[in-house]
Amino acid sequence: MRGHREEGATDDAALLRAVAGGDPAAMAELYDRHAGWLHARLARRCPDPETVREVLQDTFVTVWRSAAGHRGQETGGWLWTIAARRLVDARRAQERATRLAGPPLEDDPATPYATASVSTAASVSAEDRVLAGLEYGDVGTALDRISPELREVLRATVVDGLSTREAARLLGIPEGTVKSRARRARVELRAALDQLNPSPLGGTA
């Protein structure tokens, strides 16, 4: 099966059908094919390597249990949806644990990790706010107005910070197509933003 790894979504769908039938070899192949970019994408959303490792593992446990629920959607997007939800679950669990532990004793030298954990949580929240602004503010509105295929490339390369190669793998298109769509997407996005916020100078250069 390894010799056919680059055949794309059709092979992925076949693998998922085999996984749904309880085939561990198909599960291992699916993991080998997708774990790398999933790990990279999760790491851009979460600064804690241990959390990323646990979320990745939980993602594939979920895939093993729910592969029969795959209904033909693009495999990379389906896997990322699962991984993103597992990451949200992990962050919520961490936040609950932090609240139950009570406020950190910042002045106590015996608790040197308290401030560090608060700092990490703050940096994650700040990242989430930036991503939310990109997806749900004026930029999000503008994103919804551009072509769907361009929107997906922009979200992959800008919102999620994927490289051209990673985005191509996720979306199932050539790297050159990712680059050309990214250029077109920026042009369309600027035009959409101009429509949302017209220049007070009336468009003069």
mmCIF file of all heavy atoms in Angstrom, residues 8-41:
data_model
loop_
_atom_site.group_PDB
_atom_site.id
_atom_site.type_symbol
_atom_site.label_atom_id
_atom_site.label_comp_id
_atom_site.label_asym_id
_atom_site.label_seq_id
_atom_site.Cartn_x
_atom_site.Cartn_y
_atom_site.Cartn_z
ATOM 1 N N GLY A 8 -3.690 10.060 -3.277
ATOM 2 C CA GLY A 8 -4.579 11.099 -2.799
ATOM 3 C C GLY A 8 -5.813 10.622 -2.093
ATOM 4 O O GLY A 8 -5.851 9.598 -1.437
ATOM 5 N N ALA A 9 -6.890 11.445 -2.271
ATOM 6 C CA ALA A 9 -8.092 11.277 -1.466
ATOM 7 C C ALA A 9 -8.763 9.925 -1.659
ATOM 8 O O ALA A 9 -9.351 9.387 -0.737
ATOM 9 C CB ALA A 9 -9.078 12.404 -1.784
ATOM 10 N N THR A 10 -8.686 9.366 -2.875
ATOM 11 C CA THR A 10 -9.331 8.074 -3.108
ATOM 12 C C THR A 10 -8.720 7.012 -2.220
ATOM 13 O O THR A 10 -9.404 6.208 -1.590
ATOM 14 C CB THR A 10 -9.208 7.668 -4.582
ATOM 15 O OG1 THR A 10 -9.822 8.669 -5.389
ATOM 16 C CG2 THR A 10 -9.881 6.331 -4.815
ATOM 17 N N ASP A 11 -7.388 6.995 -2.124
ATOM 18 C CA ASP A 11 -6.714 6.054 -1.245
ATOM 19 C C ASP A 11 -7.088 6.306 0.212
ATOM 20 O O ASP A 11 -7.257 5.369 0.984
ATOM 21 C CB ASP A 11 -5.202 6.153 -1.410
ATOM 22 C CG ASP A 11 -4.689 5.243 -2.529
ATOM 23 O OD1 ASP A 11 -5.481 4.461 -3.052
ATOM 24 O OD2 ASP A 11 -3.506 5.345 -2.864
ATOM 25 N N ASP A 12 -7.171 7.566 0.596
ATOM 26 C CA ASP A 12 -7.565 7.898 1.962
ATOM 27 C C ASP A 12 -8.953 7.338 2.268
ATOM 28 O O ASP A 12 -9.190 6.793 3.350
ATOM 29 C CB ASP A 12 -7.572 9.415 2.165
ATOM 30 C CG ASP A 12 -6.177 9.980 2.358
ATOM 31 O OD1 ASP A 12 -5.255 9.196 2.692
ATOM 32 O OD2 ASP A 12 -5.999 11.193 2.182
ATOM 33 N N ALA A 13 -9.866 7.502 1.351
ATOM 34 C CA ALA A 13 -11.220 7.001 1.569
ATOM 35 C C ALA A 13 -11.213 5.481 1.721
ATOM 36 O O ALA A 13 -11.922 4.917 2.565
ATOM 37 C CB ALA A 13 -12.131 7.418 0.417
ATOM 38 N N ALA A 14 -10.395 4.805 0.893
ATOM 39 C CA ALA A 14 -10.290 3.349 1.001
ATOM 40 C C ALA A 14 -9.696 2.943 2.339
ATOM 41 O O ALA A 14 -10.133 1.966 2.967
ATOM 42 C CB ALA A 14 -9.437 2.809 -0.148
ATOM 43 N N LEU A 15 -8.705 3.701 2.788
ATOM 44 C CA LEU A 15 -8.105 3.422 4.092
ATOM 45 C C LEU A 15 -9.135 3.574 5.204
ATOM 46 O O LEU A 15 -9.211 2.744 6.117
ATOM 47 C CB LEU A 15 -6.926 4.367 4.346
ATOM 48 C CG LEU A 15 -5.613 4.048 3.640
ATOM 49 C CD1 LEU A 15 -4.606 5.157 3.883
ATOM 50 C CD2 LEU A 15 -5.053 2.714 4.124
ATOM 51 N N LEU A 16 -9.935 4.620 5.117
ATOM 52 C CA LEU A 16 -10.940 4.843 6.160
ATOM 53 C C LEU A 16 -11.988 3.735 6.165
ATOM 54 O O LEU A 16 -12.465 3.332 7.231
ATOM 55 C CB LEU A 16 -11.594 6.211 5.970
ATOM 56 C CG LEU A 16 -10.752 7.403 6.442
ATOM 57 C CD1 LEU A 16 -11.369 8.710 5.963
ATOM 58 C CD2 LEU A 16 -10.623 7.404 7.957
ATOM 59 N N ARG A 17 -12.339 3.242 4.995
ATOM 60 C CA ARG A 17 -13.280 2.121 4.946
ATOM 61 C C ARG A 17 -12.674 0.887 5.608
ATOM 62 O O ARG A 17 -13.354 0.152 6.332
ATOM 63 C CB ARG A 17 -13.679 1.820 3.503
ATOM 64 C CG ARG A 17 -14.619 2.858 2.895
ATOM 65 C CD ARG A 17 -15.235 2.353 1.603
ATOM 66 N NE ARG A 17 -14.238 2.132 0.561
ATOM 67 C CZ ARG A 17 -13.839 3.073 -0.303
ATOM 68 N NH1 ARG A 17 -14.369 4.286 -0.234
ATOM 69 N NH2 ARG A 17 -12.935 2.795 -1.230
ATOM 70 N N ALA A 18 -11.371 0.682 5.355
ATOM 71 C CA ALA A 18 -10.697 -0.464 5.977
ATOM 72 C C ALA A 18 -10.598 -0.270 7.486
ATOM 73 O O ALA A 18 -10.775 -1.219 8.255
ATOM 74 C CB ALA A 18 -9.312 -0.640 5.366
ATOM 75 N N VAL A 19 -10.303 0.961 7.912
ATOM 76 C CA VAL A 19 -10.247 1.251 9.348
ATOM 77 C C VAL A 19 -11.602 0.989 9.986
ATOM 78 O O VAL A 19 -11.701 0.406 11.074
ATOM 79 C CB VAL A 19 -9.797 2.707 9.598
ATOM 80 C CG1 VAL A 19 -9.972 3.084 11.072
ATOM 81 C CG2 VAL A 19 -8.343 2.899 9.179
ATOM 82 N N ALA A 20 -12.664 1.396 9.308
ATOM 83 C CA ALA A 20 -14.013 1.164 9.829
ATOM 84 C C ALA A 20 -14.289 -0.326 9.980
ATOM 85 O O ALA A 20 -15.069 -0.734 10.850
ATOM 86 C CB ALA A 20 -15.052 1.797 8.901
ATOM 87 N N GLY A 21 -13.625 -1.132 9.151
ATOM 88 C CA GLY A 21 -13.780 -2.578 9.244
ATOM 89 C C GLY A 21 -12.852 -3.221 10.253
ATOM 90 O O GLY A 21 -12.814 -4.440 10.374
ATOM 91 N N GLY A 22 -12.079 -2.378 10.963
ATOM 92 C CA GLY A 22 -11.215 -2.896 12.013
ATOM 93 C C GLY A 22 -9.837 -3.336 11.554
ATOM 94 O O GLY A 22 -9.205 -4.170 12.212
ATOM 95 N N ASP A 23 -9.331 -2.779 10.455
ATOM 96 C CA ASP A 23 -8.034 -3.165 9.903
ATOM 97 C C ASP A 23 -6.918 -2.329 10.542
ATOM 98 O O ASP A 23 -6.782 -1.142 10.232
ATOM 99 C CB ASP A 23 -8.047 -2.956 8.393
ATOM 100 C CG ASP A 23 -6.760 -3.421 7.727
ATOM 101 O OD1 ASP A 23 -5.772 -3.690 8.432
ATOM 102 O OD2 ASP A 23 -6.746 -3.525 6.483
ATOM 103 N N PRO A 24 -6.088 -2.902 11.426
ATOM 104 C CA PRO A 24 -5.036 -2.117 12.078
ATOM 105 C C PRO A 24 -3.936 -1.670 11.120
ATOM 106 O O PRO A 24 -3.311 -0.623 11.326
ATOM 107 C CB PRO A 24 -4.490 -3.070 13.152
ATOM 108 C CG PRO A 24 -4.847 -4.433 12.675
ATOM 109 C CD PRO A 24 -6.128 -4.291 11.919
ATOM 110 N N ALA A 25 -3.686 -2.445 10.065
ATOM 111 C CA ALA A 25 -2.670 -2.044 9.089
ATOM 112 C C ALA A 25 -3.106 -0.771 8.360
ATOM 113 O O ALA A 25 -2.298 0.122 8.094
ATOM 114 C CB ALA A 25 -2.417 -3.171 8.097
ATOM 115 N N ALA A 26 -4.389 -0.677 8.018
ATOM 116 C CA ALA A 26 -4.906 0.534 7.379
ATOM 117 C C ALA A 26 -4.809 1.717 8.336
ATOM 118 O O ALA A 26 -4.499 2.840 7.925
ATOM 119 C CB ALA A 26 -6.359 0.318 6.957
ATOM 120 N N MET A 27 -5.051 1.470 9.617
ATOM 121 C CA MET A 27 -4.938 2.537 10.607
ATOM 122 C C MET A 27 -3.504 3.038 10.693
ATOM 123 O O MET A 27 -3.248 4.244 10.764
ATOM 124 C CB MET A 27 -5.407 2.020 11.969
ATOM 125 C CG MET A 27 -5.454 3.095 13.040
ATOM 126 S SD MET A 27 -6.775 4.298 12.737
ATOM 127 C CE MET A 27 -6.016 5.784 13.386
ATOM 128 N N ALA A 28 -2.547 2.111 10.679
ATOM 129 C CA ALA A 28 -1.139 2.494 10.731
ATOM 130 C C ALA A 28 -0.746 3.304 9.497
ATOM 131 O O ALA A 28 0.001 4.285 9.588
ATOM 132 C CB ALA A 28 -0.266 1.242 10.834
ATOM 133 N N GLU A 29 -1.263 2.917 8.336
ATOM 134 C CA GLU A 29 -0.967 3.650 7.101
ATOM 135 C C GLU A 29 -1.577 5.048 7.141
ATOM 136 O O GLU A 29 -0.947 6.028 6.730
ATOM 137 C CB GLU A 29 -1.494 2.868 5.903
ATOM 138 C CG GLU A 29 -1.354 3.586 4.569
ATOM 139 C CD GLU A 29 0.102 3.721 4.122
ATOM 140 O OE1 GLU A 29 0.977 3.076 4.715
ATOM 141 O OE2 GLU A 29 0.334 4.490 3.172
ATOM 142 N N LEU A 30 -2.807 5.150 7.634
ATOM 143 C CA LEU A 30 -3.449 6.465 7.732
ATOM 144 C C LEU A 30 -2.657 7.370 8.671
ATOM 145 O O LEU A 30 -2.453 8.551 8.386
ATOM 146 C CB LEU A 30 -4.884 6.297 8.238
ATOM 147 C CG LEU A 30 -5.791 7.520 8.090
ATOM 148 C CD1 LEU A 30 -6.153 7.742 6.622
ATOM 149 C CD2 LEU A 30 -7.066 7.352 8.918
ATOM 150 N N TYR A 31 -2.201 6.812 9.776
ATOM 151 C CA TYR A 31 -1.404 7.584 10.732
ATOM 152 C C TYR A 31 -0.105 8.040 10.075
ATOM 153 O O TYR A 31 0.277 9.203 10.175
ATOM 154 C CB TYR A 31 -1.099 6.729 11.965
ATOM 155 C CG TYR A 31 -0.290 7.462 13.015
ATOM 156 C CD1 TYR A 31 -0.922 8.141 14.054
ATOM 157 C CD2 TYR A 31 1.105 7.480 12.961
ATOM 158 C CE1 TYR A 31 -0.188 8.821 15.007
ATOM 159 C CE2 TYR A 31 1.853 8.168 13.908
ATOM 160 C CZ TYR A 31 1.193 8.828 14.938
ATOM 161 O OH TYR A 31 1.930 9.509 15.866
ATOM 162 N N ASP A 32 0.564 7.125 9.402
ATOM 163 C CA ASP A 32 1.829 7.445 8.754
ATOM 164 C C ASP A 32 1.655 8.549 7.721
ATOM 165 O O ASP A 32 2.517 9.406 7.535
ATOM 166 C CB ASP A 32 2.390 6.181 8.101
ATOM 167 C CG ASP A 32 3.782 6.390 7.529
ATOM 168 O OD1 ASP A 32 4.643 6.900 8.253
ATOM 169 O OD2 ASP A 32 4.002 6.041 6.357
ATOM 170 N N ARG A 33 0.520 8.552 7.063
ATOM 171 C CA ARG A 33 0.262 9.514 5.999
ATOM 172 C C ARG A 33 -0.083 10.908 6.529
ATOM 173 O O ARG A 33 0.286 11.920 5.926
ATOM 174 C CB ARG A 33 -0.883 8.988 5.121
ATOM 175 C CG ARG A 33 -1.143 9.816 3.884
ATOM 176 C CD ARG A 33 -2.275 9.237 3.063
ATOM 177 N NE ARG A 33 -1.933 7.928 2.507
ATOM 178 C CZ ARG A 33 -2.676 7.304 1.598
ATOM 179 N NH1 ARG A 33 -3.785 7.858 1.166
ATOM 180 N NH2 ARG A 33 -2.319 6.127 1.143
ATOM 181 N N HIS A 34 -0.774 10.979 7.658
ATOM 182 C CA HIS A 34 -1.331 12.268 8.086
ATOM 183 C C HIS A 34 -0.819 12.808 9.427
ATOM 184 O O HIS A 34 -1.044 13.975 9.731
ATOM 185 C CB HIS A 34 -2.859 12.156 8.173
ATOM 186 C CG HIS A 34 -3.525 11.989 6.844
ATOM 187 N ND1 HIS A 34 -3.679 13.028 5.947
ATOM 188 C CD2 HIS A 34 -4.065 10.900 6.235
ATOM 189 C CE1 HIS A 34 -4.296 12.593 4.857
ATOM 190 N NE2 HIS A 34 -4.528 11.300 5.007
ATOM 191 N N ALA A 35 -0.152 11.987 10.215
ATOM 192 C CA ALA A 35 0.243 12.448 11.553
ATOM 193 C C ALA A 35 1.211 13.624 11.496
ATOM 194 O O ALA A 35 1.145 14.523 12.349
ATOM 195 C CB ALA A 35 0.871 11.297 12.338
ATOM 196 N N GLY A 36 2.102 13.648 10.504
ATOM 197 C CA GLY A 36 3.106 14.708 10.430
ATOM 198 C C GLY A 36 2.503 16.090 10.304
ATOM 199 O O GLY A 36 2.814 16.996 11.098
ATOM 200 N N TRP A 37 1.639 16.275 9.309
ATOM 201 C CA TRP A 37 1.078 17.622 9.126
ATOM 202 C C TRP A 37 0.088 17.969 10.229
ATOM 203 O O TRP A 37 -0.028 19.143 10.613
ATOM 204 C CB TRP A 37 0.451 17.770 7.733
ATOM 205 C CG TRP A 37 -0.819 17.035 7.466
ATOM 206 C CD1 TRP A 37 -0.967 15.845 6.835
ATOM 207 C CD2 TRP A 37 -2.149 17.461 7.809
ATOM 208 N NE1 TRP A 37 -2.295 15.493 6.765
ATOM 209 C CE2 TRP A 37 -3.045 16.461 7.351
ATOM 210 C CE3 TRP A 37 -2.668 18.563 8.469
ATOM 211 C CZ2 TRP A 37 -4.419 16.557 7.532
ATOM 212 C CZ3 TRP A 37 -4.046 18.657 8.650
ATOM 213 C CH2 TRP A 37 -4.903 17.659 8.185
ATOM 214 N N LEU A 38 -0.616 16.965 10.764
ATOM 215 C CA LEU A 38 -1.516 17.248 11.880
ATOM 216 C C LEU A 38 -0.724 17.738 13.092
ATOM 217 O O LEU A 38 -1.122 18.694 13.769
ATOM 218 C CB LEU A 38 -2.315 15.997 12.253
ATOM 219 C CG LEU A 38 -3.544 15.682 11.401
ATOM 220 C CD1 LEU A 38 -4.075 14.295 11.738
ATOM 221 C CD2 LEU A 38 -4.636 16.739 11.598
ATOM 222 N N HIS A 39 0.397 17.079 13.371
ATOM 223 C CA HIS A 39 1.239 17.504 14.485
ATOM 224 C C HIS A 39 1.726 18.939 14.280
ATOM 225 O O HIS A 39 1.683 19.768 15.201
ATOM 226 C CB HIS A 39 2.424 16.553 14.638
ATOM 227 C CG HIS A 39 3.283 16.843 15.824
ATOM 228 N ND1 HIS A 39 4.237 17.841 15.826
ATOM 229 C CD2 HIS A 39 3.316 16.287 17.072
ATOM 230 C CE1 HIS A 39 4.836 17.873 16.999
ATOM 231 N NE2 HIS A 39 4.287 16.957 17.778
ATOM 232 N N ALA A 40 2.180 19.243 13.067
ATOM 233 C CA ALA A 40 2.679 20.585 12.776
ATOM 234 C C ALA A 40 1.583 21.634 12.949
ATOM 235 O O ALA A 40 1.800 22.712 13.508
ATOM 236 C CB ALA A 40 3.246 20.637 11.363
ATOM 237 N N ARG A 41 0.398 21.314 12.499
ATOM 238 C CA ARG A 41 -0.706 22.278 12.577
ATOM 239 C C ARG A 41 -1.157 22.469 14.023
ATOM 240 O O ARG A 41 -1.441 23.588 14.449
ATOM 241 C CB ARG A 41 -1.858 21.782 11.705
ATOM 242 C CG ARG A 41 -2.921 22.825 11.427
ATOM 243 C CD ARG A 41 -3.866 22.344 10.337
ATOM 244 N NE ARG A 41 -4.823 23.363 9.985
ATOM 245 C CZ ARG A 41 -5.760 23.208 9.073
ATOM 246 N NH1 ARG A 41 -5.852 22.079 8.415
ATOM 247 N NH2 ARG A 41 -6.608 24.174 8.794
#
